[in-house]
Amino acid sequence: MNIAASQRAFERLGVTPLTPAIGAEISGVDLSQEQDEAVIAEIRAALLAHKVVFFRDQHITPAQHIAFARRFGTLEIHPATPKDQPDPEVLHIAHGPESRGKENAWHSDVTWRAEPSLGSILRAVEVPAVGGDTLFADMGAAFRGLSPAMQDWCRGLNAVHDIARVFAGRLGKPVEELHKQYPPQTHPVVRTHPETGEQALYVNIAFTSHIEGLSAKESEGLLAHLYAQAAIPEYQCRFHWEPGSIAFWDNRAGQHYAASDYFPAVRRMERVTIAGDRPFYRDER
């Protein structure tokens, strides 16, 4: 989607791009109130155009957070959520003196699912005075930045995504037990966005274990090259959190990296995630 052209679609909201590649800040909306269909449509349009959108000074409750997210689809429950938690749709991500942040690797959420999430809505509850920013990368731009020969090769490849790479240790569960509930999933290395048609890289260092059909050495080498594309500054934006800040990102089109530079300060966030569909590749050249 062309960003410049997309600005004409916004009559109810202010939408200010953060960088030419990715990210925009939305103003003119109070998310503690129920929004009409026109506003929701504009937020979705902004998300598709910019891949991640940000809201400031939104001091909403968990119930309001959940209600807002439900306007965009069915919500999913993360396996790291305690079973007795009152609002299971809310994933609490908190770090402080006893816990150093662990989300500092480029990734897209829950790619180990058969149908990974459409998007995530993250709310800042308590943030450090300095540090704790989140970076976002446009994986469509990352794909277009590859050489034509590399693009062609990647279009025909599939990769395996495995929950155990991260959550076997975090949840303290045997790999076999996790795989019984969440078997490793095969997704295309290049994903076609179901709404925009854009092609984007869809492998990430957190959950991708290997590329099918390649030797271990070939897979490791190619994945290292593809992972590195997210770290190119021209494909990125960086967001500094304040209490009441909200980020809504499209997991189908981008990756994110939570900078773990604030230890031992406290950073408490709450995330609600919208279920998606099975990734696919469609050649539209």
Side-chain angles (χ1 to χ4, degrees):
M1 181 179 291
N2 181 274
I3 288 178
S6 72
Q7 301 308 303
R8 294 195 294 269
F10 306 116
E11 299 178 353
R12 302 280 295 279
L13 302 174
V15 179
T16 305
L18 268 66
T19 73
I22 186 171
E25 193 162 311
I26 291 180
S27 58
V29 63
D30 178 359
L31 298 183
S32 69
Q33 305 299 312
E34 184 175 354
Q35 307 302 319
D36 62 31
E37 290 297 334
V39 169
I40 295 298
E42 288 196 11
I43 293 173
R44 180 181 285 274
L47 179 70
L48 295 178
H50 300 283
K51 300 181 173 68
V52 56
V53 292
F54 306 102
F55 306 83
R56 295 286 190 187
D57 300 316
Q58 303 290 336
H59 299 282
I60 60 175
T61 66
Q64 290 166 339
H65 189 173
I66 292 169
F68 174 61
R70 279 208 174 104
R71 300 297 298 277
F72 299 92
T74 302
L75 304 186
E76 63 180 39
I77 297 173
H78 198 281
T81 303
K83 297 189 182 302
D84 59 350
Q85 184 176 298
D87 297 309
E89 299 89 351
V90 179
L91 177 66
H92 296 270
I93 305 170
H95 298 293
E98 307 301 321
S99 169
R100 190 182 293 271
K102 300 176 181 178
E103 296 78 26
N104 54 332
W106 286 105
H107 65 286
S108 177
D109 294 328
V110 301
T111 61
W112 41 265
R113 290 192 188 275
E115 297 182 340
S117 65
L118 179 157
S120 300
I121 302 177
L122 186 68
R123 180 172 72 97
V125 179
E126 182 178 358
V127 294
V130 179
D133 296 354
T134 302
L135 293 82
F136 297 86
D138 177 352
M139 299 313 291
F143 175 65
R144 293 189 297 273
L146 297 173
S147 69
M150 181 62 77
Q151 290 182 25
D152 284 343
W153 187 26
C154 290
R155 283 188 176 100
L157 298 175
N158 293 305
V160 176
H161 297 248
D162 185 352
I163 186 176
R165 286 172 58 83
V166 172
F167 287 102
R170 291 194 190 179
L171 299 177
K173 291 186 176 182
V175 171
E176 296 76 14
E177 181 180 338
L178 278 174
H179 283 174
K180 186 176 295 186
Q181 188 171 4
Y182 305 104
Q185 297 294 323
T186 299
H187 300 312
V189 168
V190 181
R191 177 177 184 171
T192 300
H193 195 288
E195 295 185 73
T196 69
E198 183 181 31
Q199 315 289 4
L201 287 179
Y202 199 66
V203 292
N204 70 91
I205 197 169
F207 301 120
T208 305
S209 63
H210 64 280
I211 295 176
E212 291 186 331
L214 302 185
S215 70
K217 187 174 182 180
E218 290 170 335
S219 176
E220 290 169 5
L222 178 55
L223 284 174
H225 179 62
L226 299 181
Y227 294 157
Q229 305 312 302
I232 296 175
E234 284 80 3
Y235 305 154
Q236 298 175 1
C237 71
R238 183 175 184 130
F239 185 66
H240 178 67
W241 297 93
E242 300 168 351
S245 296
I246 290 176
F248 181 4
W249 61 83
D250 189 337
N251 277 305
R252 306 164 296 182
Q255 292 187 24
H256 54 285
Y257 180 115
S260 181
D261 56 358
Y262 53 91
F263 182 83
V266 174
R267 183 181 187 267
R268 293 195 300 119
M269 319 291 279
E270 293 182 355
R271 192 181 89 191
V272 177
T273 301
I274 303 151
D277 51 17
R278 189 162 190 92
F280 64 90
Y281 171 71
R282 181 172 60 235
D283 195 335
E284 296 183 338
R285 288 173 292 175

